[in-house]
Amino acid sequence: MTVPEPAPPVIETRAVVKSFAGVQALRGVDLTVRAGEIHALLGQNGAGKSTLVKILNGVHPAGSFSGDIRVAGRPVSFRSTSDARAEGVGYVPQEIEVLEQLTVAENVFAGQTGLGAGVLVSQRRLEERTRALFAEIGLAIDPRALVASLTAAQRHLVMIARALSFRPRVLMLDEPTASLSGVEVERLFAVLRRLKAQGSTMIFITHRLPEVLAICDRATVLRDGRVAAEIGREDFDAERFIFAMSGQRLQRLYPHHEPPPPAPPLLSVRNLTIAGRFGVNRGVSDVGFDVRPGEILGLAGLLGSGRTEILHAIYGRIPFAGEISIAGQPTTIRKAGDARAAGIALLTEDRKRDGLLFNLPVGANITIGNLGPLARNGLVRGGQERSAILAAMRALNVKASSPQASVMHLSGGNQQKLLFARVLMRAPKLLLLDEPTKGVDAATRHEIYRLVVELAEKGVGLLVVASELEELIGLCDRCLTIADGRIVDEFRRGEGGEERVLRAVAAAQARDRETTMQASQ
């Protein structure tokens, strides 16, 4: 039997070395991505993935690193992202970057000219070209729709379409499923499989090993700035990936946690109702539940179900009607300060937009909002603040050179642990977690799971939103399924799984469709 010749390389790096302030991020990385494949780029936070991607995308320009880049066998030199795009390198970032008040078509071709006569752009032509592109890649989104009206999954698909509009040789996708539910991941994968069938080449950067097993053809694993393994599809194995990324084998993914004993509720929510605002938040109708001390309660559901809005209402970030009680006492929460005073803390989903302050160093990011106990007569006591910062960094295993280090240079996992350190400095009674493991590697996820369980065992109540249903089911004592702003199911650990959640959501959607049809008759 003749073994087929491997496809030619589309993009390559050779002996790439990159340092930041004397710290080596990449130590002679060789990467080869072949035509027509979906190539996984894996590694723990801090392994060098983001640095390598920024070099391939021209963010770190030629001259700021040593080594070579080749596109289609030809040496190239990128001085900017425009140079990389001109050479056929497309990039879709993890963070959603769209212009919400423009249409889908305007977002897809944002920044491009030549779509009309002279300096004017024909809206009709713009929409026609968008429809043609969507038909080619299998997207069913109205080009005339405002992006503000789209779900997070649809917005990510618009970003992919924008990158594809430049007809790249290779498309880099950075954590494209980080905020998507299981159903939405499958829709995205259908698009990627169609692109592959058409001959597209992709680099798929992710922390989610099941997705690598499901869709990728080859994988390169980075560890400590070096290539730890190159693995072909025939040798894919989750344990092998984990060992290559960490150098060790992870034990039980979800730490053992006994459900808390019966006790009066720590948090009681009754008749919680939120008015939906177009493009801002989804509506919630008459939601009620309790969280006991030491309980981990999960809110499961698809994006747009209202799960995040429930957290933000409890924390005072969006207006609501209804009643909230803490430890049996009715509590008025109109703003975040009211929630903090009641012992409630929130870890937001988007650490870069809502969490981190990149103009402040590591230490200040921990103590910001927590300076009261560290001050006397209105002046912060520097020695006490530094001691508190170092203690928080040790407790959360935040890996930074010093409290004065730049937040920008921390890995995603360490940035997330930094936010945990900030919210825990107040010793909250109730902790609201919105996508607590978003964009972090397998080892850091394990640390976060262990931290959540330790907090529960100390009597803290936890309310968790996560798009990965497996995570909620493995970690939580009890889960509520949310669909269209309502609770449609409830089950304890061991009583259900992903199938139960999806079935409950589908049944609720079917009931809503039937009600709408009856009302229109």
Side-chain angles (χ1 to χ4, degrees):
M1 180 178 175
T2 304
V3 178
E5 288 290 324
V10 171
I11 193 166
E12 305 167 87
T13 66
R14 289 292 175 265
V16 169
V17 175
K18 172 69 177 173
S19 298
F20 296 100
V23 177
Q24 273 199 308
L26 298 177
R27 306 166 184 263
V29 170
D30 294 344
L31 172 71
T32 300
V33 179
R34 300 191 178 278
E37 71 177 4
I38 302 179
H39 191 110
L41 182 60
L42 305 174
Q44 296 190 60
N45 292 116
K49 302 188 307 299
S50 294
T51 302
L52 181 60
V53 167
K54 288 177 180 178
I55 286 173
L56 292 174
N57 192 36
V59 173
H60 297 319
S64 69
F65 62 92
S66 63
D68 300 316
I69 303 175
R70 292 177 176 267
V71 173
R74 181 171 50 85
V76 294
S77 180
F78 300 152
R79 293 166 296 174
S80 66
T81 56
S82 296
D83 285 353
R85 189 164 55 236
E87 289 289 348
V89 179
Y91 176 60
V92 181
Q94 176 181 343
E95 291 78 21
I96 293 178
E97 297 177 357
V98 291
L99 302 167
E100 291 191 345
Q101 299 310 315
L102 296 184
T103 67
V104 169
E106 289 165 341
N107 268 269
V108 169
F109 289 100
Q112 299 189 51
T113 57
L115 298 176
V119 296
L120 299 178
V121 175
S122 165
Q123 190 72 21
R124 181 182 59 81
R125 177 65 176 148
L126 203 67
E127 292 168 3
E128 287 176 354
R129 290 188 59 172
T130 303
R131 286 192 186 91
L133 177 61
F134 283 7
E136 186 179 331
I137 62 179
L139 289 188
I141 301 175
D142 185 355
R144 298 168 298 178
L146 280 179
V147 166
S149 68
L150 303 185
T151 66
Q154 289 172 320
R155 295 181 191 200
H156 222 111
L157 290 170
V158 168
M159 290 168 58
I160 291 174
R162 180 195 298 161
L164 291 172
S165 71
F166 290 95
R167 302 296 175 182
R169 300 173 190 260
V170 60
L171 180 64
M172 297 189 293
L173 301 161
D174 192 358
E175 296 282 354
T177 64
S179 296
L180 306 187
S181 67
V183 172
E184 289 157 333
V185 168
E186 282 305 315
R187 290 173 184 159
L188 172 63
F189 282 4
V191 172
L192 299 188
R193 290 186 180 103
R194 184 163 180 161
L195 289 172
K196 178 186 171 183
Q198 294 168 353
S200 294
T201 303
M202 287 164 272
I203 299 176
F204 191 86
I205 302 108
T206 185
H207 290 113
R208 298 180 173 181
L209 298 184
E211 296 174 0
V212 177
L213 299 174
I215 199 167
C216 295
D217 302 299
R218 286 198 306 129
T220 296
V221 181
L222 299 184
R223 185 170 78 238
D224 297 329
R226 295 186 175 91
V227 174
E230 296 177 358
I231 304 171
R233 175 82 198 178
E234 65 279 5
D235 296 319
F236 276 13
D237 177 77
E239 284 294 323
R240 182 171 181 176
F241 285 135
I242 291 172
F243 185 74
M245 285 190 289
S246 65
Q248 58 186 342
R249 303 194 183 279
L250 290 181
Q251 302 303 313
R252 179 185 174 91
L253 182 59
Y254 301 105
H256 178 71
H257 171 56
E258 289 290 341
L266 171 63
L267 168 73
S268 292
V269 175
R270 296 291 180 269
N271 309 118
L272 182 71
T273 300
I274 302 167
R277 295 172 58 200
F278 177 71
V280 179
N281 57 262
R282 308 288 176 175
V284 172
S285 303
D286 199 27
V287 164
F289 58 87
D290 296 329
V291 180
R292 290 180 292 162
E295 182 178 28
I296 307 172
L297 177 65
L299 299 183
L302 305 182
L303 283 171
S305 63
R307 2 164 252 190
T308 290
E309 283 76 7
I310 292 171
L311 294 193
H312 286 202
I314 295 170
Y315 194 67
R317 297 189 82 188
I318 56 178
F320 67 92
E323 300 172 1
I324 293 177
S325 297
I326 302 294
Q329 298 299 313
T331 304
T332 300
I333 297 178
R334 294 193 177 92
K335 58 184 184 299
D338 296 335
R340 288 194 294 269
I344 303 172
L346 169 69
L347 189 86
T348 61
E349 173 186 4
D350 192 334
R351 58 177 172 263
K352 292 190 176 179
R353 186 181 67 181
D354 293 337
L356 297 168
L357 299 169
F358 287 94
N359 59 327
L360 296 180
V362 166
N365 265 275
I366 293 175
T367 57
I368 191 76
N370 298 319
L371 292 173
L374 305 174
R376 178 182 295 168
N377 298 324
L379 297 176
V380 176
R381 291 172 286 183
Q384 188 172 347
E385 182 186 17
R386 180 175 174 81
S387 296
I389 290 168
L390 292 174
M393 291 175 66
R394 284 194 298 270
L396 274 296
N397 193 28
V398 177
K399 295 178 181 177
S401 57
S402 75
Q404 285 71 47
S406 170
V407 175
M408 183 70 71
H409 294 152
L410 296 186
S411 67
N414 280 299
Q415 289 178 351
Q416 192 75 341
K417 288 189 282 187
L418 195 66
L419 293 181
F420 267 101
R422 181 196 299 169
V423 299
L424 294 180
M425 186 169 277
R426 283 182 171 268
K429 303 172 186 174
L430 176 70
L431 182 55
L432 313 176
L433 300 176
D434 194 357
E435 304 284 3
T437 63
K438 179 180 177 180
V440 305
D441 59 69
T444 304
R445 282 183 181 222
H446 192 64
E447 288 186 70
I448 291 174
Y449 296 153
R450 189 171 63 245
L451 173 63
V452 167
V453 168
E454 288 174 357
L455 290 170
E457 290 176 347
K458 292 176 182 177
V460 176
L462 296 111
L463 187 58
V464 184
V465 165
S467 294
E468 290 191 55
L469 297 179
E470 178 187 351
E471 181 171 288
L472 287 179
I473 291 159
L475 190 64
C476 297
D477 301 305
R478 189 163 54 97
C479 285
L480 305 177
T481 301
I482 313 294
D484 295 326
R486 294 174 288 109
I487 297 174
V488 297
D489 192 20
E490 175 181 348
F491 59 93
R492 299 183 182 279
R493 185 190 293 127
E495 294 179 351
E498 295 184 46
E499 182 183 352
R500 176 166 178 167
V501 173
L502 296 175
R503 191 167 57 243
V505 170
Q509 292 173 339
R511 287 194 298 270
D512 288 344
R513 284 195 299 270
E514 184 176 348
T515 301
T516 301
M517 290 176 61
Q518 290 174 349
S520 64
Q521 291 175 353

